Amino acid sequence: MPLPLPRPPALLKGLVAIVLAAAFAAQAVAALLPDVPLLLAATTVSLATEGVLYRWQREVLSLFAKSHADITVRHVLRDLLLVVGLLRLGEQDRETGYVPIVAGLLAFYVLHCAIQAVSVLVRRTRTLPVVTRNIDAQALRLSKAPSVLLRRPGHRLLAVGLPATAGLLAAAPGNEPVYAAAGIALSLALALTGLGALLFRLLPGRRPAGEQEVLDWFDAWLAEYRPTVGLYFSGGASSAYQANMWLEPLAKTDGKPVIVLRERFMVQKIAATDIPIVCLPKVSTLMRLEHSTLQVLIHPSNSGKTSQVLRIPTIRHTFVNHGESDKLSSCNPYAKAYDEVWVAGPAARERYAVAEVGVEDKDVVETGRPQLDAVRPYAGPPAGPRGGAADAHLTTVLYAPTWEGWDGNPGNTSVIAAGENLVRALLADPGVRLLYKPHPLTGSVDPRAGAADLRIRELIRAANRERTGARRPTGAAELARLTEELDRLTTTVFRTWADTVERMRVQSAPEPGRAEAVARTTAAWEEAYWASLPEGEHQIITDARPTLYSCFNVADLLISDVSSVISDFLASEKPYAVANTSGLPEEAFRTAFPTVAAATVLTPDAAGVPDLLETVRHPEKDDFAQARAALKLRLLGPADPPSQERFNAAVRALCEEARTHRARVAERPTAELPGQRTEPASDGAGLPTAAPR
């Protein structure tokens, strides 16, 4: 994944703004003198600076817009100064010859405003109340999006207005208005063409379906598909992983699954899946689910918009969280708003009881963690070549710290206080291959965590420069082939300026068997990925592939923080360690966080790393093996029946409860059901009483 371009420093932003302002000032001076060479140079610099702004420094553009100096104002000023310069160059009696040019220029800007107004109308017709993926929605007359030049005023004005500006520039040296007239005429022709193209899209047969038509279609789709269980998710762009980890368990449930989203951008953030996806931004549209066959909604996270869907009485809601740990977020008081809370094992049940956040024990259901079926169990001490010695083995260590969190607790992440020490200690052992997989949100709250993360990455790169083996060419070729195949199966290619309607058109119903092909190719890709790596080379893993669970399978040891990563890794029963940066003594640390019970506790100075590696390489020195097995049972529940079966059973039971509730309500007389009064009640004196609240 390519790294995002760094933000330009404030000094560079200010410099570009100064250059643009100076160019306008020079253009004004040149127009009043008049000075043709200066006029040409200043205008050229001004146009070039505009291009730099639109390509690299959009933040400066927003500052100009807030100062009421947006692209339209700047473009009008630039052309106006050119006209003034031309008038100053000619004789007074020739000023009337430029009247048509000025009139044409004014007409062009009128057309620009008209195009912008019509583009807003077109955008509104293409903003549908329902956004879908993996659903055939061609009945909604979906079409390709208009060109970016017709949708973005800045791009349009620079491109379509360029002939007019160029014509005015060409007219300046020889005082030839014919060049200006030709340039303006071309800009007018381009503007008229663009306006016509947009107006064509407003014709009844050319625009997408209207709001009511879309809603009727959505109701019909719900009636035909008849969903029973859904995943409800709302959040920011970086939080999509919380929903993605539940896609496979949802796909394997009995019944008809569906994914319900609230933010339009989130539709593209959901990973590859064949499950139908519907995005319902408005509450009024969301409420249409009340009369559908949907019986259960699964919630992997809490959000402000969760309260809106909880108002639907015909649907049962369960909170599954996006991971389980000893953090306070794993027993949030918000959980009492759901009908049930599904947890992995007895430890989470106890956690809610101890926290006393209002979640009753009868509403807690142990389902295991169905995602962990892909985690392979412990198969003995590390195996693999190391350093050329026949009897030596390579130890793969996964360092997967969590992020800093919102509360500022120093014990949340080890990256700041211990990360560099841990990595240095691991890299100092020639028999260690390090896999570093930081949390996606690292550094999003505390800049110190982001800075420490960058330093850790540089330590790993420096170690690799001293210790890089030869890449296996056959493995690399196979990996490239599988990557291409997996990208073809999981990635949809859009035009750069595609909008939600065009994406709906492209992401229609999936091809039969795609989900099975993705699973098969993903397994092959992961095997090829690990096989293609140079022997002993340390890895910084930040892409979606390989997954965390794939890293679990190749790791001999996990070092992490108090987080759900520990609980998930315990499915393998491999050794793990937890960095204690909380400031608590070790015994108090173990008491406060039960998931640490079977872990080696590391101090921030990483002094215990050599002894930890020794126990991994020599299982007879491992004192926590039995404790890990017991803790796995406590955290994740029994291995039989498998988690997916228990998860499916919980879905069926809650669906049955929802159906029973609907039947019970349907049998009750309407008079017994609470509802709105149609007429005000009256007291004994004939005066209306207050309406019930």
Side-chain angles (χ1 to χ4, degrees), residues 417-418 421-422 578-581 584 586 600-609:
N421 293 333
L422 290 170
V578 180
N580 178 12
T581 57
L584 296 173
E586 181 175 330
T600 298
V601 176
L602 296 175
T603 54
D605 61 5
V609 167

Side-chain angles (χ1 to χ4, degrees), residues 201-502:
R201 288 177 172 272
L202 292 178
L203 295 176
R206 295 291 178 178
R207 59 174 178 250
E211 181 173 357
Q212 189 56 50
E213 187 177 352
V214 173
L215 294 177
D216 292 341
W217 170 87
F218 179 58
D219 290 340
W221 178 82
L222 287 173
E224 179 183 1
Y225 180 68
R226 300 185 64 78
T228 55
V229 57
L231 179 76
Y232 178 90
F233 190 73
S234 171
S238 60
S239 64
Y241 73 93
Q242 300 172 357
N244 288 333
M245 67 171 57
W246 286 99
L247 296 182
E248 187 173 350
L250 179 66
K252 293 180 179 178
T253 55
D254 304 324
K256 292 289 191 71
V258 66
I259 298 172
V260 181
L261 306 176
R262 301 302 307 282
E263 293 82 19
R264 298 175 189 273
F265 69 82
M266 190 61 71
V267 175
Q268 302 306 322
K269 297 293 183 179
I270 299 299
T273 179
D274 285 358
I275 302 173
I277 299 174
V278 295
C279 177
L280 311 174
K282 294 182 179 179
V283 178
S284 58
T285 310
L286 181 70
M287 291 299 115
R288 303 180 91 86
L289 296 177
E290 180 176 354
H291 304 291
S292 72
T293 56
L294 189 61
Q295 298 157 13
V296 169
L297 276 178
I298 297 170
H299 300 257
S301 69
N302 299 311
S303 73
K305 295 181 181 178
T306 301
S307 61
Q308 297 171 348
V309 74
L310 291 178
R311 294 162 53 187
I312 300 180
T314 58
I315 298 176
R316 285 293 182 259
H317 303 269
T318 180
F319 181 61
V320 295
N321 213 336
H322 51 275
E324 290 190 18
S325 71
D326 292 324
K327 292 181 180 179
L328 291 177
S329 58
S330 290
C331 49
N332 193 311
Y334 200 112
K336 62 188 174 186
Y338 302 95
D339 296 292
E340 290 184 353
V341 176
W342 294 356
V343 299
R349 180 187 295 275
E350 297 167 9
R351 189 182 301 121
Y352 276 108
V354 172
E356 297 185 7
V357 293
V359 176
E360 297 186 26
D361 186 70
K362 66 180 181 63
D363 295 328
V364 178
V365 179
E366 297 175 27
T367 62
R369 289 276 287 170
Q371 300 94 333
L372 302 182
D373 291 346
V375 177
R376 293 196 291 266
Y378 178 70
R386 185 195 82 189
D391 59 346
H393 296 89
L394 186 71
T395 305
T396 300
V397 180
L398 171 63
Y399 178 38
T402 190
W403 67 304
E404 58 270 25
W406 300 109
D407 57 7
N409 190 324
N412 286 343
T413 179
S414 59
V415 169
I416 299 174
E420 293 173 81
N421 293 333
L422 290 170
V423 169
R424 284 194 181 95
L426 292 169
L427 296 178
D429 189 318
V432 166
R433 176 178 67 161
L434 174 61
L435 308 179
Y436 175 54
K437 190 172 179 62
H439 193 284
L441 296 180
T442 299
S444 60
V445 172
D446 191 337
R448 296 178 301 165
D453 171 57
L454 293 177
R455 291 194 297 270
I456 289 172
R457 298 186 191 204
E458 185 51 41
L459 286 173
I460 295 172
R461 294 188 188 100
N464 278 336
R465 286 192 290 269
E466 300 177 0
R467 171 194 177 181
T468 300
R471 184 171 293 277
R472 304 174 179 89
T474 54
E478 177 66 6
L479 178 65
R481 185 190 69 79
L482 289 169
T483 299
E484 183 178 352
E485 175 65 12
L486 196 54
D487 287 343
R488 184 188 67 80
L489 290 169
T490 61
T491 305
T492 304
V493 179
F494 303 106
R495 298 188 303 167
T496 306
W497 57 86
D499 60 4
T500 55
V501 170
E502 182 173 337

Side-chain angles (χ1 to χ4, degrees), residues 106-138:
L106 291 175
F108 168 73
Y109 285 110
V110 169
L111 280 176
H112 167 70
C113 294
I115 292 174
Q116 182 60 23
V118 176
S119 70
V120 171
L121 294 177
V122 171
R123 184 172 67 248
R124 289 179 179 176
T125 65
R126 298 179 65 82
T127 305
L128 306 185
V130 178
V131 180
T132 66
R133 184 177 136 195
N134 297 335
I135 299 174
D136 184 359
Q138 294 302 321

Side-chain angles (χ1 to χ4, degrees), residues 559-572:
I559 299 178
S560 187
D561 306 319
V562 175
S563 70
S564 61
V565 173
I566 292 175
S567 303
D568 289 353
F569 189 77
L570 270 168
S572 69

